[in-house]
Amino acid sequence: MVIKTLAQEESVLGALISSTVNVLLRVIFRFEPLAPIAITLFINRQLNRYKEQNIVSKSITHTKRLGKYHYSIEMDLDLTGMQALHLLGNLFPKQLSRYRRWFHD
């Protein structure tokens, strides 16, 4: 009889978790049209950190919603030569490893 109550408790817990997840997903997807604003804010926050570290000189970011869950993100970055090499070295470390002797930081 103890086994039945544990199984019943697990099924009730599973149903509760499932219904909670469904409600949260509905709420989250209601705010999906606001995602471009959140994406732009997130990218700008990271780019401001790069500006403080002198990795990027100037940046402009624009996010456009193309459709449901599809976005276009435009970033305009002003970089010096050394900043561009540093940024490319961090984005593509394996591809640039064979040219390492020409790219000194």
Side-chain angles (χ1 to χ4, degrees), residues 8-59:
Q8 289 173 351
E9 287 178 12
E10 287 179 9
S11 66
V12 170
L13 182 62
L16 181 64
I17 291 173
S18 175
S19 64
T20 304
V21 168
N22 286 336
V23 169
L24 287 176
L25 286 175
R26 283 190 209 138
V27 169
I28 289 171
F29 291 134
R30 296 277 181 197
F31 294 107
E32 189 270 335
L34 299 175
I37 296 169
I39 292 169
T40 301
L41 290 174
F42 178 76
I43 291 174
N44 282 337
R45 184 178 302 153
Q46 186 62 40
L47 288 174
N48 284 335
R49 290 183 194 147
Y50 287 160
K51 286 179 192 176
E52 291 171 358
Q53 297 172 2
N54 201 23
I55 297 173
V56 175
S57 298
K58 182 181 172 188
S59 65

Side-chain angles (χ1 to χ4, degrees), residues 36 40 62-67 70-74:
T40 301
H62 179 71
T63 305
K64 181 180 177 184
R65 184 174 187 247
L66 301 176
H70 293 87
Y71 306 97
S72 171
I73 302 171
E74 297 177 13

